[in-house]
Amino acid sequence: MAEAAHSYWSASKFESIMLCPGKMVLEDGAPDNTNDYAAEGTAAHQVLTWALQDERPASAYIGRQIHLDSRGKPCDMAEAVYTFVVDDDMAMHVQVCIDYVIDLKGDDGIVFADIRVNYSSYLDVEEHTAWGTADVIIARGNELIVIDFKYGRGVEVDAEKNPQMSLYGLGALQAYQGLVADFDRVRMAISQPRIKSAPSEWDCSVEELEAWATGTARSAVRSCQVASSSNQDDAWREAFLRPAEKACKFCKAKATCPALRDEVWNATHDGSGPADAGDFDDLNVADESHIKVCNSAWISAALKKVDMIEDWCKAIRAETERRLLAGDTVPDFKLVQGKRGARQWTDAKVAEETLKTMRVKLEDMYDFKLISPTTADKLAKAGTIGPRQWPKLQTLITQNEGKPHVAPVSDSRPALVVTPVVDDFTDVTTADDLA
């Protein structure tokens, strides 16, 4: 049987269904739309694929347009909902992954880019229901290497025992074990160049990976199958819906999930009970005696819930908009016309020629902009800027330090050492000051 347009046992969402088996039931029939960030990631992946297949640097595609439809799939310009132009920044980050691939390939490796792999036999499910697309697979000696490229700058993802990477690794084994070589080990890597230049890597033996598949992964599949075949009552919700940041982050049903609604209520109301429709009627604090200073432990516990709650709020807004656009009614809300977009030429070439006939001066016609340090660096590497000239330019380049921001302790970046402001002052108090 031919593979379906979407993988039921998707590698990218497998960790979330391991955490919340009822997720797939609630998501059934939900619209399959993308967003700006996911679409931008797809565009960057396209550049990576072109560069590896053509054996060219990412900079070769600067200026090329990539059109995507509402689901984030490549399409013609007429059908495009998202259009991205490959710029210096995108090319620079994609090149980090390309350089990493070239380094791992060495002189004797074989590279497969943007390859669909099937891992159904390991999950013991129908062939057309379990597949995914691996960004890069490298076969080298007795090692099979699978690389996933992530263009987002949000959350750092670890490759160690990562379910998505494990399924890609199993799919690569199912495709190439014994055909290309006899592999003993599988190395899995996640390249996130907008977060850090060094990829996250984890390797294990083929036996260890297959044991995970026939044990943990198959057990997760069975739980989801039981959830799909059971009656959806209060007991079902208690057994199969388990709200958590990783489970809910990309869930298409988060706006309507009753368990997530209750989790948000408990997090914001200190576990004071379930959320019925009327529970949101009056949230006013009776008097100031209810307001207490929160200690660090409470702040830590609350912060761990913030991302999940913020995602839920965004999902509620998105679901409201989707229903109104579909012609449904949402009490107390309506659709209105937003702010008009920026003005632009219908045909830039025609506008340019028309301005020339008006004898408009060049300095008035064009906005000249100095090239960026990144572009200058590429010109230096290409020899356009000489080896003696480039050091002079380097002295004129500055780069702001990243601003401090909060991250979980699992983040690989070292913690900043912050000196209390009081330590920056010298005590000049004298005995006379105290008299």
Side-chain angles (χ1 to χ4, degrees):
M1 182 181 294
E3 290 174 341
H6 301 283
S7 174
Y8 188 77
W9 302 106
S10 164
S12 60
K13 70 178 183 182
F14 200 80
E15 182 176 21
S16 65
I17 67 173
M18 290 172 65
L19 297 170
C20 181
K23 168 190 175 79
M24 297 179 75
V25 177
L26 297 188
E27 282 189 326
D28 187 34
D32 186 27
N33 292 327
T34 187
N35 56 46
D36 291 342
Y37 301 110
E40 184 184 36
T42 300
H45 276 79
Q46 183 63 72
V47 177
L48 176 66
T49 300
W50 286 337
L52 292 176
Q53 291 178 343
D54 299 342
E55 297 185 346
R56 302 179 71 188
S59 58
Y61 305 96
I62 291 176
R64 184 175 295 192
Q65 290 187 342
I66 300 173
H67 306 290
L68 305 172
D69 62 21
S70 62
R71 298 175 302 151
K73 305 297 182 184
C75 65
D76 296 330
M77 182 173 63
E79 303 171 351
V81 174
Y82 304 95
T83 296
F84 296 93
V85 179
V86 183
D87 57 15
D88 288 351
D89 191 60
M90 181 179 287
M92 176 183 68
H93 288 109
V94 171
Q95 190 61 44
V96 172
C97 186
I98 293 172
D99 292 341
Y100 176 63
V101 171
I102 292 172
D103 182 58
L104 287 181
K105 173 183 176 293
D107 297 326
D108 56 345
I110 304 173
V111 175
F112 305 92
D114 195 38
I115 295 296
R116 178 172 289 190
V117 294
N118 192 296
Y119 38 81
S120 56
S121 63
Y122 287 104
L123 298 185
D124 192 26
V125 296
E126 293 183 79
E127 183 178 357
H128 67 282
T129 65
W131 52 270
T133 302
D135 294 332
V136 185
I137 297 175
I138 302 174
R140 186 178 185 186
N142 67 343
E143 184 180 44
L144 193 58
I145 306 170
V146 182
I147 302 171
D148 189 47
F149 174 63
K150 296 188 183 298
Y151 191 62
R153 62 168 84 245
V155 180
E156 182 179 346
V157 184
D158 192 353
E160 184 173 356
K161 298 182 179 179
N162 183 296
Q164 178 182 5
M165 297 306 301
S166 295
L167 288 179
Y168 286 155
L170 291 165
L173 282 173
Q174 188 167 312
Y176 302 119
Q177 180 73 296
L179 295 178
V180 176
D182 292 323
F183 301 106
D184 298 329
R185 302 195 68 79
V186 180
R187 188 193 316 193
M188 290 153 278
I190 297 175
S191 176
Q192 290 182 275
R194 297 176 86 186
I195 293 181
K196 62 177 186 177
S197 58
S200 171
E201 291 187 352
W202 182 64
D203 88 299
C204 65
S205 66
V206 169
E207 291 78 10
E208 185 178 352
L209 190 59
E210 290 178 337
W212 174 84
T214 56
T216 303
R218 284 191 185 182
S219 177
V221 169
R222 299 293 177 267
S223 294
C224 292
Q225 290 171 334
V226 172
S228 298
S229 60
S230 303
N231 293 324
Q232 296 178 43
D233 51 20
D234 289 341
W236 179 90
R237 188 173 79 176
E238 190 72 25
F240 297 111
L241 295 182
R242 304 164 191 166
E245 183 180 351
K246 286 187 177 180
C248 299
K249 189 169 183 63
F250 299 109
C251 180
K252 294 184 288 187
K254 73 174 72 172
T256 54
C257 175
L260 178 56
R261 179 199 64 190
D262 290 352
E263 184 74 5
V264 170
W265 173 266
N266 289 327
T268 55
H269 290 75
D270 201 22
S272 56
D276 294 323
D279 287 336
F280 290 93
D281 288 345
D282 186 3
L283 301 183
N284 294 323
V285 176
D287 58 70
E288 293 187 3
S289 65
H290 292 276
I291 303 174
K292 299 179 180 179
V293 176
C294 304
N295 60 31
S296 294
W298 188 93
I299 290 293
S300 174
L303 186 58
K304 291 172 184 176
K305 300 285 187 180
V306 165
D307 286 344
M308 183 178 70
I309 293 172
E310 288 179 341
D311 283 345
W312 178 76
C313 294
K314 292 175 184 176
I316 291 292
R317 292 192 183 98
E319 178 64 13
T320 302
E321 183 178 284
R322 184 192 71 78
R323 294 189 181 194
L324 291 173
L325 287 171
D328 297 339
T329 59
V330 178
D332 302 323
F333 290 92
K334 63 181 180 180
L335 286 177
V336 296
Q337 190 69 48
K339 183 180 178 181
R340 298 183 69 182
R343 293 181 296 175
Q344 54 187 333
W345 300 116
T346 54
D347 190 317
K349 278 287 185 183
V350 173
E352 182 181 33
E353 293 302 322
T354 303
L355 284 167
K356 287 180 179 179
T357 64
M358 297 176 179
R359 300 181 182 276
V360 178
K361 294 180 181 180
L362 289 178
E363 58 266 31
D364 293 329
M365 271 185 61
Y366 299 99
D367 292 324
F368 291 99
K369 182 182 177 182
L370 189 65
I371 62 173
S372 67
T374 300
T375 301
D377 189 12
K378 291 176 181 176
L379 292 178
K381 291 176 180 176
T384 305
I385 297 176
R388 294 184 180 179
Q389 298 169 320
W390 177 232
K392 295 179 181 179
L393 279 176
Q394 285 180 302
T395 63
L396 303 176
I397 296 173
T398 185
Q399 189 171 22
N400 293 333
E401 293 291 336
K403 293 183 178 179
H405 68 276
V406 179
V409 292
S410 58
D411 193 291
S412 64
R413 290 167 290 186
L416 292 177
V417 178
V418 180
T419 304
V421 175
V422 68
D423 292 347
D424 295 332
F425 293 88
T426 303
D427 186 358
V428 295
T429 304
T430 65
D432 293 338
D433 296 326
L434 302 177

